[in-house]
């Protein structure tokens, strides 16, 4: 699907990509996500791009003329480490990674 988007996308397309590169080794996934995002800039279409690769997000926002970062808001109780999703779509990069909190919500063992 991503190859088709890159091959046939036009400025009138809308690209929606969620967690591109996930399921691969960390550096491989980040490289895939970064390369696709770079290519989509040349296509010139609007893109909704969700990623958990913080370095990819930080690199993407360097081009402020074309990229507007947003994130889903959450809060973490510092005493109980309990995470609450706020269901608010806020401007800016996500201020922190919540992987451990989400794993706890999913019931994964601490080890």
């Amino acid at each position: 699907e991503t190859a088709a988007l890159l091959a046939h996308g036009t400025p009138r397309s809308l690209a929606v990509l969620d967690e591109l590169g996930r399921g691969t080794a960390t550096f491989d996934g980040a490289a895939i996500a970064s390369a696709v995002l770079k290519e989509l800039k040349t296509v010139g279409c609007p893109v909704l791009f969700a990623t958990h690769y913080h370095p990819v997000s930080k690199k993407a926002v360097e081009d402020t003329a074309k990229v507007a970062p947003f994130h889903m808001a959450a809060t973490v109780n510092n005493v109980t480490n309990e995470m609450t999703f706020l269901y608010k779509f806020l401007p800016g990069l996500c201020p922190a990674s919540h992987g451990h909190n989400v794993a706890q919500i999913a019931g994964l063992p601490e080890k």
Side-chain angles (χ1 to χ4, degrees), residues 20-110:
L20 188 64
R22 190 163 186 107
T24 64
T26 299
F27 293 113
D28 294 341
I32 292 167
S34 183
V36 169
L37 191 56
K38 182 178 177 182
E39 285 299 311
L40 284 173
K41 285 183 186 179
T42 65
V43 172
C45 64
V47 178
L48 294 173
F49 192 89
T51 185
H52 66 286
Y53 298 116
H54 295 277
V56 172
S57 299
K58 289 178 182 174
K59 178 72 175 162
V61 298
E62 290 176 2
D63 187 1
T64 58
K66 292 188 177 187
V67 177
F70 284 82
H71 67 279
M72 293 304 295
T75 185
V76 178
N77 181 311
N78 291 330
V79 176
T80 64
N81 206 30
E82 184 176 313
M83 181 176 180
T84 304
F85 294 101
L86 303 177
Y87 299 97
K88 293 181 183 178
F89 197 49
L90 301 177
L93 292 174
C94 187
S97 175
H98 299 294
H100 289 102
N101 304 92
V102 172
Q104 182 181 18
I105 292 168
L108 295 176
E110 276 193 45

Side-chain angles (χ1 to χ4, degrees), residues 5-6 9-10 12-18 36 40 43 45-50:
L5 174 64
L6 294 174
T10 72
R12 296 186 63 190
S13 301
L14 171 62
V16 180
L17 297 167
D18 181 32
V36 169
L40 284 173
V43 172
C45 64
V47 178
L48 294 173
F49 192 89

